[in-house]
Amino acid sequence: MQIFGNEIEAGVYRKAVKTKKKFIRKFGDDRDRQYHLSLVDNDVLTPPFGCKTIVTDKTITEDTFAANLPEKPLIIGNIRMGFGHYRISMAMASAAKALDYTPLWMDLNSFPETTCTKIISYQNDLYSTGSRLSQKSKLFNKIVWEPLNYEGFKKLSYNAGDQKTAELMTPLFREIPQDTPFIATHVWPSQAAVHAGMRNVVNAIPDNWPMALHLSEGAVHTVQTYNTYWGYRTLHGFEGNKILNPMGDKDIVWTGHYIDHELVSNIESDCANRIARAKDGKPLRFLFTIGGAGAQGEFFASIIKTLLPYVKKNKACIYINCGDYENVWKMLQEMIPELTDGSFNTKTHFNNWAEELKFAEAAIEGLDTEAGSGIHAFCNKDIFGAVYITNLLMRASDILVTKPSELAFYPVPKLFIRRIGGHEMWGAIHSAELGDGTQECETPEYACQVVQMIMKQPSLIEGMCNAIIDEKKKGTYDGAYKAVKIAAGEIQGNNL
């Protein structure tokens, strides 16, 4: 076995085969089974993007999928693993719509009858458990979690195991025409698509720390930063200090950040609104994104407590997105009784997508003063609404408070809290160097100090906004458009 011309040791290959056989024993092997596919609307994604969702349909008795495809389809392959990969997928769907393609959503973790989904769900559960443990135990984080995310996933041997396992994920691709443009926002859909014979596959790498985990030989790899480009191109550190055969020029492309068309096209006006609020002394709007079943809840609570006096004086406004975890909101209420004891006019926006959309529009346009003051909490059992409300509220927000994951690349001023996994560190470093975000705040005390600085010196927001406008002129935020064009064959490789 070789990966980009680099020979994999026989022992590593045997281990990969053994892992694949273990999954077959545990979850079965459905590669001889026929799954019939169809397209359905999605309440959240279809209205803005015209996006259809690919589902299996037991009522269909023959292959009709290709005949029912839209004129210019583009499949977005992803998995539900936290919110990050869904959010990047939404950026791709938005860009595809802007470029006159019809995005088709294919979540490999949404077909419970398949071996593919059973494997992904199993591994996702393991990762989620590790992530939560890393926040509760400094020892586990130091000895296990940080090294795994930072060095373990970097090894070429890790990719060998994933490649063999991905062979079990191919049955869902049987009815898809092999020349259909396909963008994967997680490596497993990319690997599965390549193994299934798909010919126009883009592997949109999400992180700013090069890792073999994300390799999918046979696809065009797109990256968001030049640092990532050189790390992947040379495969530096993927096998200790050994100098490896590099990836080919056509295997990897720097595209810039994967950002929704709605965000990119409104950068100037949204930044102008932020600067105006800062200069006019209007409430500064802080958006908190709390996913992962409440990971880092205490960290977020400390920052929110710091902001409460400013909210009371109508100098700050708080948006809290709890994702699809209502228990996170209950946890925050226990940590911060003032949220719901009558001290503040706290409003909840739960499980009503039409109302959430209306609120976001009012906040963006400044049509409703209540949307720009007080405390507002959001939660939606629908995963699509849970993710996308953050994208909408970003346009209306002055500061996004988040860990340095996929949101590190978005064109909104950012305050970074402590990372989950060593690989996320490089997202904060990249943002701070661009000037559109703070350094990573490793402790709540440091984060609260930065909040105080911003409240006392709102011109810090203006500086970040000017950096965002400058980066737009350079094409930094055009990554989703370019990924779509590469998958569709409009542009070739590094001919950008």
Side-chain angles (χ1 to χ4, degrees):
M1 180 182 184
Q2 291 186 341
I3 298 176
F4 291 108
N6 297 286
E7 198 70 34
I8 300 301
E9 294 180 3
V12 171
Y13 180 74
R14 286 194 297 270
K15 182 179 178 181
V17 173
K18 185 177 180 180
T19 299
K20 176 183 171 182
K21 290 180 178 179
K22 180 192 75 173
F23 282 134
I24 290 174
R25 290 193 301 271
K26 191 176 184 68
F27 301 118
D29 186 350
D30 59 357
R31 282 177 290 178
D32 292 331
R33 183 173 173 182
Q34 180 72 36
Y35 294 104
H36 293 303
L37 307 178
S38 63
L39 300 174
V40 298
D41 287 346
N42 180 284
D43 291 342
V44 174
L45 301 182
T46 300
F49 309 138
C51 185
K52 304 284 186 180
T53 301
I54 297 177
V55 298
T56 53
D57 192 335
K58 294 180 181 179
T59 67
I60 299 175
T61 58
E62 57 184 9
D63 180 1
T64 59
F65 185 72
N68 292 325
L69 283 174
E71 183 178 353
K72 295 176 66 177
L74 185 140
I75 298 176
I76 301 170
N78 54 65
I79 65 170
R80 162 83 193 268
M81 179 177 270
F83 285 0
H85 301 287
Y86 259 28
R87 196 181 315 283
I88 296 172
S89 294
M90 290 175 182
M92 298 300 182
S94 176
K97 174 66 163 53
L99 295 172
D100 295 324
Y101 292 90
T102 300
L104 307 179
W105 192 273
M106 188 179 188
D107 177 4
L108 295 192
N109 200 17
S110 67
F111 303 93
E113 71 274 31
T114 67
T115 298
C116 171
T117 292
K118 292 172 184 175
I119 292 172
I120 292 173
S121 295
Y122 170 76
Q123 296 190 110
N124 189 19
D125 288 344
L126 288 178
Y127 189 87
S128 296
T129 299
S131 179
R132 285 192 291 270
L133 280 174
S134 73
Q135 299 308 301
K136 296 177 180 179
S137 170
K138 291 183 178 180
L139 186 62
F140 176 82
N141 187 60
K142 181 179 181 180
I143 296 177
V144 179
W145 199 244
E146 281 270 352
L148 175 64
N149 279 272
Y150 200 62
E151 295 296 341
F153 291 158
K154 192 176 183 72
K155 296 178 181 178
L156 209 58
S157 57
Y158 192 93
N159 184 256
D162 271 3
Q163 288 283 6
K164 292 304 294 181
T165 297
E167 293 174 0
L168 300 175
M169 302 178 184
T170 58
L172 287 166
F173 292 82
R174 191 164 291 131
E175 293 187 348
I176 301 174
Q178 293 184 331
D179 60 351
T180 308
F182 188 96
I183 298 177
T185 60
H186 187 281
V187 70
W188 293 337
S190 178
Q191 291 170 347
V194 171
H195 283 304
M198 300 288 287
R199 292 189 286 269
N200 299 309
V201 180
V202 166
N203 177 30
I205 293 175
D207 297 318
N208 195 31
W209 172 244
M211 297 185 288
L213 163 71
H214 292 302
L215 294 177
S216 177
E217 189 167 8
V220 176
H221 298 65
T222 61
V223 291
Q224 299 184 86
T225 72
Y226 282 116
N227 170 68
T228 320
Y229 174 85
W230 282 105
Y232 278 105
R233 183 71 193 278
T234 61
L235 301 179
H236 178 64
F238 283 33
E239 197 171 319
N241 294 323
K242 183 179 180 180
I243 301 300
L244 299 175
N245 292 323
M247 297 175 69
D249 179 55
K250 295 181 180 180
D251 293 321
I252 184 166
V253 182
W254 171 85
T255 58
H257 302 183
Y258 313 131
I259 308 297
D260 311 57
H261 169 70
E262 293 73 26
L263 285 162
V264 177
S265 61
N266 288 290
I267 280 177
E268 290 85 358
S269 60
D270 291 344
C271 283
N273 289 336
R274 294 180 185 116
I275 293 171
R277 284 192 290 270
K279 287 184 174 180
D280 296 343
K282 293 183 178 180
L284 298 182
R285 303 168 178 185
F286 287 76
L287 170 59
F288 293 78
T289 61
I290 309 176
Q296 298 180 301
E298 292 182 359
F299 207 119
F300 281 109
S302 296
I303 302 173
I304 293 171
K305 289 177 182 177
T306 298
L307 281 170
L308 289 183
Y310 295 101
V311 176
K312 181 73 82 174
K313 297 176 184 177
N314 201 32
K315 293 183 178 294
C317 169
I318 295 176
Y319 303 144
I320 303 172
N321 183 16
C322 301
D324 55 351
Y325 296 102
E326 193 165 342
N327 64 295
V328 169
W329 178 237
K330 294 177 181 176
M331 174 192 69
L332 286 176
Q333 291 177 62
E334 294 174 358
M335 293 178 176
I336 316 171
E338 298 95 324
L339 288 176
T340 52
D341 67 2
S343 301
F344 294 88
N345 182 23
T346 301
K347 293 189 176 181
T348 56
H349 310 266
F350 286 11
N351 301 313
N352 187 336
W353 183 240
E355 188 273 335
E356 292 177 64
L357 280 175
K358 185 177 179 181
F359 177 92
E361 181 181 353
I364 292 168
E365 300 297 334
L367 301 176
D368 184 353
T369 55
E370 289 189 1
S373 62
I375 300 172
H376 300 269
F378 299 83
C379 184
N380 201 316
K381 293 178 182 177
D382 184 302
I383 178 60
F384 297 97
V387 174
Y388 196 52
I389 190 62
T390 289
N391 294 43
L392 296 176
L393 290 174
M394 268 191 276
R395 289 195 54 202
S397 301
D398 298 310
I399 292 286
L400 171 65
V401 182
T402 180
K403 67 186 182 75
S405 55
E406 86 286 348
L407 285 168
F409 300 92
Y410 277 73
V412 57
K414 294 169 287 286
L415 188 162
F416 293 117
I417 67 169
R418 184 179 59 229
R419 64 187 180 267
I420 298 179
H423 61 293
E424 292 183 344
M425 169 177 64
W426 293 91
I429 291 172
H430 175 69
S431 176
E433 289 180 340
L434 291 185
D436 66 2
T438 70
Q439 292 181 323
E440 178 186 351
C441 299
E442 299 94 341
T443 66
E445 292 78 14
Y446 181 20
C448 291
Q449 180 194 45
V450 173
V451 167
Q452 296 277 14
M453 289 175 59
I454 292 170
M455 292 307 306
K456 293 176 182 178
Q457 189 181 346
S459 60
L460 291 170
I461 293 175
E462 182 176 358
M464 292 188 198
C465 286
N466 288 334
I468 290 169
I469 292 170
D470 288 342
E471 291 304 320
K472 181 185 178 181
K473 295 175 183 177
K474 300 175 185 177
T476 298
Y477 305 115
D478 290 346
Y481 303 120
K482 292 175 181 176
V484 168
K485 290 180 179 180
I486 293 171
E490 291 188 25
I491 52 180
Q492 300 294 322
N494 283 291
N495 184 26
L496 302 180

